[in-house]
Amino acid sequence: MASQNGTLGKYVTLVSSDGFEFVVLREATFISPAIKGMLDPKSQFSESRTGRCVFEEISGMVLEKVVEYFQYWYKNKEREDVPDMEIPVELCLEILTAADYLGIDNHPM
């Protein structure tokens, strides 16, 4: 959320279709071009003012894995020997769909 003096907060809130909220480091979400655009202070999106992104098409279970990936990517972005991230097989298709929607399906690690 933007503060009273117009500076951007360090964290943003991502909300799933079933109402689960995830507070994430703003910089970690920038791997997603969609979220980065929504949070851009120059945009006309309300998300840029509130620091809150609601995803009506992504469930809490899937958004939780997306948030894990954001944190995983942020933590390991400078490393070359990055271990694999565990992804439940039963969520693979939904996670792939969410990654495509958020623009992170072809983002290099």
Side-chain angles (χ1 to χ4, degrees):
M1 176 181 278
S3 71
Q4 298 289 350
N5 62 8
T7 60
L8 300 175
K10 185 175 180 177
Y11 295 93
V12 295
T13 302
L14 307 181
V15 184
S16 69
S17 61
D18 43 0
F20 288 95
E21 297 187 6
F22 302 90
V23 178
V24 187
L25 187 65
R26 177 182 290 270
E27 191 176 339
T29 65
F30 289 170
I31 188 173
S32 165
I35 295 176
K36 187 175 183 175
M38 292 165 75
L39 296 173
D40 184 350
K42 296 178 187 125
S43 76
Q44 297 298 313
F45 295 116
S46 65
E47 292 86 354
S48 66
R49 292 185 307 279
T50 64
R52 183 179 174 87
C53 302
V54 179
F55 298 101
E56 294 294 335
E57 51 289 303
I58 303 177
S59 72
M61 285 179 37
V62 172
L63 191 56
E64 179 179 21
K65 279 297 177 186
V66 169
V67 167
E68 278 182 39
Y69 178 71
F70 289 163
Q71 294 169 333
Y72 179 82
W73 170 82
Y74 187 76
K75 174 183 168 190
N76 294 298
K77 66 183 177 181
E78 304 295 326
R79 292 180 55 190
E80 289 190 26
D81 60 332
V82 180
D84 290 337
M85 183 178 156
E86 293 294 319
I87 298 175
V89 175
E90 62 274 8
L91 291 179
C92 283
L93 183 59
E94 290 179 81
I95 291 171
L96 184 59
T97 303
D100 182 55
Y101 176 78
L102 296 171
I104 55 177
D105 58 329
N106 60 5
H107 194 284
M109 179 77 176

